[in-house]
Amino acid sequence: MDLLQLSTILVKYVVGILLIGLVVFLHELGHFIAARSLGVDVEVLSFGMGPRVFSWYGRKTEYRISALPFGGYCRMKGSIDLAKALHDDKDSIDKLEAGSYFAASASTRFLIYFAGPFTNFLLAVLLLTIASALPVERISDKCIVTPISEYPTIFPSGIEQPGIEKGDLILELDGEAVLDYQDFARRLPSDGSAASVTVERNFEIVQETLEPTRNGDSFTFGIALMQKPVIALSDDDVLHDGDLIVAVDDKAVECTLDVYALMEEQSVLTVERDGTFFETVLERTSPLPFAWKSDIVVRSDDVGLGTIRHGLFRAGEYFVTTIEALGALVTLNFDDARNIIVGPMKASYSIADISAKAFTASTDSGLRSLCYLLSIVSISLCVGNTLPIPTFDGGGMLISFAEMVKKRNLRPRTYIWLQMFGMVVAVLIIVWMYSLDAMALLSKL
């Protein structure tokens, strides 16, 4: 590895750490805004951890940039109140300073804790909304479809879809125009509900209802794309980009599914090229030595309010996936957890590396990738911070809720013991997270 490669790798690590640090800082900014709005003073709001590099003072808060760009912190007023109560070994904190965290009600403290994870969720929604609005190059195929029951050798599931006939052109899904097959497939309901479609069939417009079939843990509508069998990106010496396959072993084909259904271990293809026909022998391999040609369009996922719906939906999906990863940890299913959870250093490098590659394609592609990756980080922080561990927001919310129910605050000494326990757990989690980076590095050696 030369010096240039090493420098590039280090820059990607630094950029990734800064980006994750920004997401963590916005989490702390959520606490800051909630605290100030609810009458609790914030003594320090810092971007980064460790020694202070630069700071300036507002009316009640020191705004600080610290040396280590690993997120940030929000220190609220109240440490003097707590120290006095501990020194005097009191059962409660009295003579509270104005604006102290401990002077606030339990419900106020609950909202301050809640504001951090909630900010992360809102940030993820915003990032995903922006990503869905950015136009990028996409594969696009005309939405001509067939029920998969027409091809039992390819789809041996036996799933039927009586609402569709082979060669149907789908124009609308649930009253909204269908842009292409990819748009149609993305918008099909995944919760088991039926879908209404407008179809062009034999030059007539008909309305059909599509009923899903349960397939394991999910639902399928039993519909496949009828893609024109035009070759693209061919590695075959005979077949070229733009060639149209018209027959396999003298049997006419209409779409790529026909090619797969008719091909033997070795078949004779009849090919049309620039108005002339020829035959060539092709051995069946997986994959075939060429791709099928699709149109390329520049388009965003949604427009208008659809982008917000898309952002909410994707943020919800990421939230559930992260919960599943934590569930794997709780049930000690470490293999599944390792497949989903990565260490902070690997995450930092991946964010910068993937985004850099996307930016080489186009600015929109780079921004889109960056938004998606940072939204995953933000949701991870949202979920992770809601764990019911003291020093985590979830632990703080749980304590505040208990205080609301019992209508009295924790004893100062109990509060400190819980914080110490939480710090130990937090350190163990951090060590485990970095061990994932170490194991990933060792696996490559």
Side-chain angles (χ1 to χ4, degrees):
M1 183 183 298
D2 59 28
L3 184 59
L4 178 60
Q5 289 175 315
L6 180 60
S7 299
T8 301
I9 291 173
L10 290 176
V11 167
K12 288 180 178 178
Y13 274 116
V14 171
V15 170
I17 289 170
L18 286 171
L19 289 170
I20 292 177
L22 178 60
V23 175
V24 177
F25 174 74
L26 291 174
H27 171 98
E28 298 300 326
L29 186 61
H31 290 309
F32 171 81
I33 293 172
R36 291 291 296 269
S37 300
L38 295 169
V40 175
D41 293 343
V42 177
E43 295 177 335
V44 178
L45 177 64
S46 174
F47 176 76
M49 307 291 285
R52 176 177 54 194
V53 175
F54 175 76
S55 67
W56 66 99
Y57 290 85
R59 189 165 60 90
K60 295 183 177 180
T61 304
E62 177 191 354
Y63 301 95
R64 182 182 296 180
I65 296 176
S66 300
L68 303 176
F70 299 107
Y73 60 90
C74 173
R75 190 176 75 205
M76 282 168 268
K77 189 174 183 180
S79 57
I80 295 176
D81 291 332
L82 180 61
K84 287 180 178 178
L86 289 170
H87 181 268
D88 297 336
D89 196 23
K90 292 189 175 182
D91 290 336
S92 62
I93 302 175
D94 53 12
K95 298 181 181 179
L96 296 165
E97 299 178 283
S100 170
Y101 166 82
F102 294 102
S105 66
S107 59
T108 295
R109 294 198 296 273
F110 180 94
L111 290 174
I112 293 172
Y113 281 118
F114 176 77
F118 184 64
T119 299
N120 279 131
F121 187 83
L122 289 182
L123 175 62
V125 172
L126 174 62
L127 290 169
L128 291 165
T129 298
I130 293 171
S132 68
L134 289 171
V136 292
E137 289 188 346
R138 302 170 180 276
I139 293 174
S140 176
D141 292 290
K142 198 170 183 179
C143 197
I144 301 174
V145 298
T146 178
I148 63 174
S149 55
E150 292 283 337
Y151 295 91
T153 59
I154 302 175
F155 306 103
S157 62
I159 294 173
E160 301 282 343
Q161 183 50 261
I164 291 295
E165 295 182 10
K166 185 177 181 181
D168 281 353
L169 171 62
I170 297 179
L171 304 175
E172 293 182 351
L173 172 62
D174 290 332
E176 295 185 12
V178 169
L179 302 176
D180 50 31
Y181 178 79
Q182 286 72 21
D183 177 53
F184 167 72
R186 179 176 65 85
R187 286 166 44 198
L188 277 173
S190 59
D191 59 358
S193 58
S196 174
V197 292
T198 302
V199 174
E200 181 182 318
R201 178 184 300 158
N202 299 325
F203 304 104
E204 294 183 359
I205 304 298
V206 297
Q207 301 291 327
E208 297 286 358
T209 299
L210 307 182
E211 297 290 345
T213 301
R214 180 177 285 279
N215 186 20
D217 294 331
S218 60
F219 293 90
T220 180
F221 285 86
I223 298 172
L225 169 67
M226 285 188 67
Q227 185 181 13
K228 195 173 181 180
V230 179
I231 290 171
L233 303 175
S234 176
D235 291 329
D236 187 84
D237 294 333
V238 178
L239 299 170
H240 296 172
D241 293 1
D243 287 349
L244 172 66
I245 299 175
V246 296
V248 175
D249 295 329
D250 293 327
K251 297 176 182 176
V253 299
E254 297 179 78
C255 63
T256 58
L257 295 175
D258 292 328
V259 176
Y260 291 120
L262 294 173
M263 276 196 69
E264 304 292 343
E265 292 300 317
Q266 190 178 74
S267 292
V268 177
L269 306 184
T270 303
V271 182
E272 180 186 353
R273 179 186 298 164
D274 299 328
T276 61
F277 296 85
F278 66 92
E279 292 184 343
T280 183
V281 176
L282 182 69
E283 293 186 2
R284 181 164 188 162
T285 59
S286 182
L288 293 172
F290 53 79
W292 300 113
K293 184 177 179 61
S294 297
D295 292 331
I296 301 295
V297 298
V298 178
R299 190 173 67 233
S300 58
D301 287 327
D302 287 293
V303 294
L305 291 176
T307 59
I308 300 175
R309 288 197 299 268
H310 183 89
L312 283 168
F313 177 76
R314 293 301 294 269
E317 281 188 327
Y318 292 167
F319 189 90
V320 171
T321 301
T322 308
I323 290 289
E324 289 173 349
L326 288 177
L329 283 178
V330 172
T331 58
L332 304 182
N333 192 345
F334 296 114
D335 289 336
D336 284 351
R338 279 194 293 266
N339 290 333
I340 303 173
I341 300 173
V342 297
M345 298 308 294
K346 183 177 179 181
S348 300
Y349 180 83
S350 297
I351 288 170
D353 185 52
I354 294 171
S355 298
K357 290 175 181 176
F359 272 111
T360 60
S362 71
T363 301
D364 285 338
S365 294
L367 289 173
R368 184 182 176 87
S369 296
L370 187 59
C371 285
Y372 274 121
L373 292 167
L374 291 182
S375 69
I376 294 172
V377 172
S378 195
I379 288 294
S380 298
L381 284 170
C382 170
V383 174
N385 271 283
T386 55
L387 290 174
I389 299 170
T391 70
F392 284 32
D393 295 329
M397 286 188 283
L398 184 62
I399 291 171
S400 299
F401 181 76
E403 289 175 335
M404 282 189 281
V405 173
K406 297 175 70 174
K407 297 183 179 180
R408 63 183 178 86
N409 294 340
L410 286 177
R411 294 178 66 248
R413 196 163 296 280
T414 303
Y415 177 83
I416 287 296
W417 277 111
L418 286 173
Q419 295 301 305
M420 291 174 62
F421 170 76
M423 286 296 296
V424 171
V425 174
V427 168
L428 291 175
I429 291 174
I430 291 171
V431 169
W432 180 77
M433 292 292 289
Y434 278 100
S435 73
L436 294 179
D437 286 320
M439 287 186 289
L441 180 62
L442 290 173
S443 67
K444 295 180 180 179
L445 298 179

